[in-house]
Structures are given as structure tokens and as C-alpha cells.
Amino acid sequence: MNNKNQITSQEEFFMNIAIEEAQMGDFPFGSVIEKNGKILSKGHNLGIKLNDPTAHAEMMAIRNYTAHYPAENLMDATIYSTGEPCPMCAAALIWCGIGHIVYASSIEELSSHINQIMISCDTVLDSANFRKTKITGGVLKNEAIRLFKK
Amino acid sequence: MNNKNQITSQEEFFMNIAIEEAQMGDFPFGSVIEKNGKILSKGHNLGIKLNDPTAHAEMMAIRNYTAHYPAENLMDATIYSTGEPCPMCAAALIWCGIGHIVYASSIEELSSHINQIMISCDTVLDSANFRKTKITGGVLKNEAIRLFKK
């Protein structure tokens, strides 16, 4: 995983948009999928409104995209998520061929707010024998944690 | 994990329905969600038809259900899947509160047909600190593997 001093201003730019998106969520999680500087889709948690426990921000960003455009375009895109993706979202992003996952706060950092732990995103990504996905954590993590205090 | 001699005739009954379902899939995977002897939903792989790499049989069974009924009803249901759920599907089933996952062939047993390995379903289930999900493998596994030879 990259450490904080490798975080780029582009990563902060798109994470800020993910943080805006999170504020519309049933739980304060938001995601933005970007490629070549262009936003392909956004998503926020709709677990309650859609009555669907799998409607995490990352899954909604994927669904919002694949509902209209070829999934192939997601290959080598980057996703910005306000929280570390759970194993469902991490593996979904692998299946979509996303090249880079950038998140704000880790599951561990959010554990006082969401006491629901599963294996780390890193573990899921490392286990995939058919695709290598880059991961960067900690981009605007304090801002993302603050969403839980509102 | 249970071993083969603990497999029940009910598990074989519903797995046979999952195998029928698999034959409609873009890839030969099928799932059936059952509770109290009643089928709540079915799903097969629609990755190509829906242009959605996350449209695995288990995800489709969940989506087919939550599109019409309260997700709460999935609590303590059982899912029968012709293949061991990938981390995306395993975690999605945890989020839905599914009590028991029954699968036919393991990812390892299918590895000569699908050379795409991620961490095992067991590992994902064991890591969840907020829910315990039972798992049984090997129910009609030869029949499920045979689907790949058609």
C-alpha cells in the first residue's frame, strides 16, 4: 500500500467528490469511478432505501455504470471510496478489472462507528491469481471519518 | 465444513434445482435460496447478457429477491450454489444474513475450467466478527463439474 506522502492532488480531488457523494448515503459511504481524469460513475450507500444489504457505495457505482455502458470501459479505471472496500466490493472491483482502488479511512479506523469487520481489502486483492490491483489508503481519511460524527 | 456423509437429501433436492438453473447461465453457475422448504429466489450467471461482471448466480439470486421482497426475509435462509461462492458473493451473503451456504464443487475442483482463484469462501465467512454462517461443500459436486464439460 502507498503511504500518505505518495498521495497525489488528483487523488484528493476525486476523493473530495466521493465525500460529497457519501453525504447522500443511507450510511456515509461514497464512491467515484474515474478514468483519464473523467468521472465514469458515482455511487452512495442505498442499503435502506433499496432494501438491499449489498447496495454499498462501490456496488452502486458499478451498477450505475454497467446499467448504461460496456463494463469493459471499467478496465484500468480508478475507484475512490470513502471507506476501505469490504470483501464483496473488493472482489466486485477485481471482476470489473478496476486497476486502482483509492480509499480514505480503513475498516479498522472506522471500527468504533461500524463494528462489522471482515478480512481486509488487501487480502482479497492479493489472493487474486488473474489480476493485480493497486491500492492506496488514507487519502483524506480524517474528512471521511468526520462524516460519521455528523 | 461438513463432510460428504452429513449431506442431507434436502440439500441434494435443492442442489438439483440449482444445477437446472445453472444450465441457463452465461457460465454454468446456478443458485437457489430456500427457507423452510420454500424457494425464495433463483439466479444464474448473467455476466455476458447483462454486461455486468458482478452478475454471478448468487448475486442474481439476491437481486431477484430484494427487487420484490424485504431483505430481512433472507435472514437464516439457505443458499444452494453449484460453485463455491467467490469473496464477492460470500460477503454479499453475509450482509444478507444468510444462515447456511451449501455448494457443490469447490473453486479448487473447478480450477481446470476457471483459472481464476481468490481466497476461499471459508476464509471470508470466518473473518466476519458479526455473523456466523454455516457452510457445507461437496453436495452433488460431480454433477456440477459435469456442467462444464457440456
Side-chain angles (χ1 to χ4, degrees), chain A residues 51 69-71 95 117 119 127 129, chain B residues 51 69-71 117 119 127 129:
Chain A
N51 173 45
Y69 304 103
W95 290 124
I117 307 290
I119 48 166
S127 73
N129 74 334
Chain B
N51 173 45
Y69 304 104
I117 306 290
I119 48 165
S127 73
N129 74 333

Side-chain angles (χ1 to χ4, degrees), chain A:
Chain A
M1 193 186 299
N2 292 348
N3 59 32
K4 181 119 196 188
N5 63 20
Q6 292 172 293
I7 291 169
T8 66
S9 58
Q10 169 163 320
E11 285 167 358
E12 292 193 338
F13 176 82
F14 287 108
M15 189 60 78
N16 260 318
I17 300 171
I19 288 171
E20 275 176 35
E21 186 73 16
Q23 297 177 54
M24 293 183 277
D26 292 341
F27 302 96
F29 292 106
S31 294
V32 171
I33 298 177
E34 169 266 339
K35 189 171 173 176
N36 299 328
K38 189 181 159 192
I39 292 176
L40 300 185
S41 74
K42 299 193 271 188
H44 51 268
N45 185 295
L46 285 172
I48 297 170
K49 284 194 196 79
L50 292 186
N51 173 45
D52 179 355
T54 71
H56 289 195
E58 296 88 339
M59 299 302 281
M60 295 313 302
I62 292 171
R63 288 188 211 173
N64 289 340
Y65 190 78
T66 56
H68 303 289
Y69 304 103
E72 293 77 38
N73 287 0
L74 294 177
M75 286 289 284
D76 302 320
T78 296
I79 188 163
Y80 299 84
S81 273
T82 59
E84 178 184 344
C86 82
M88 172 182 70
C89 298
L93 293 166
I94 295 173
W95 290 124
C96 290
I98 294 266
H100 189 183
I101 295 172
V102 180
Y103 67 81
S105 49
S106 68
I107 293 174
E108 200 181 334
E109 286 159 349
L110 289 174
S111 62
S112 63
H113 303 285
I114 47 156
N115 187 26
Q116 294 179 319
I117 307 290
M118 285 195 250
I119 48 166
S120 74
C121 183
D122 282 77
T123 310
V124 177
L125 299 187
D126 285 346
S127 73
N129 74 334
F130 57 100
R131 191 163 285 140
K132 287 302 149 213
T133 308
K134 191 179 160 194
I135 184 162
T136 305
V139 177
L140 302 183
K141 69 176 178 179
N142 293 329
E143 289 80 345
I145 292 169
R146 212 170 291 137
L147 290 168
F148 281 85
K149 296 175 182 162
K150 281 191 179 168

Side-chain angles (χ1 to χ4, degrees), chain B residues 3-133:
Chain B
N3 59 33
K4 182 122 196 185
N5 62 20
Q6 293 172 292
I7 291 168
T8 66
S9 58
Q10 169 162 320
E11 285 167 358
E12 292 193 339
F13 176 82
F14 287 108
M15 189 61 78
N16 260 318
I17 299 171
I19 288 172
E20 275 176 35
E21 187 72 16
Q23 296 176 55
M24 293 182 280
D26 291 341
F27 301 95
F29 292 106
S31 294
V32 170
I33 298 177
E34 169 265 341
K35 189 172 174 175
N36 300 327
K38 190 181 158 193
I39 292 175
L40 300 185
S41 75
K42 299 193 270 187
H44 51 268
N45 185 297
L46 285 172
I48 296 170
K49 284 194 195 81
L50 292 187
N51 173 45
D52 178 355
T54 72
H56 289 194
E58 295 89 340
M59 300 301 282
M60 294 313 302
I62 293 170
R63 288 189 211 172
N64 288 341
Y65 190 78
T66 56
H68 304 289
Y69 304 104
E72 293 77 40
N73 287 0
L74 294 178
M75 286 290 284
D76 302 320
T78 296
I79 190 164
Y80 299 84
S81 273
T82 58
E84 178 184 344
C86 82
M88 171 182 71
C89 298
L93 293 166
I94 295 173
W95 291 124
C96 290
I98 294 267
H100 189 184
I101 296 172
V102 180
Y103 67 81
S105 49
S106 68
I107 292 174
E108 200 181 335
E109 285 159 349
L110 289 174
S111 61
S112 62
H113 303 284
I114 47 157
N115 187 27
Q116 293 180 319
I117 306 290
M118 285 195 249
I119 48 165
S120 74
C121 183
D122 282 78
T123 310
V124 177
L125 300 187
D126 286 347
S127 73
N129 74 333
F130 58 101
R131 190 162 286 140
K132 286 301 147 215
T133 308

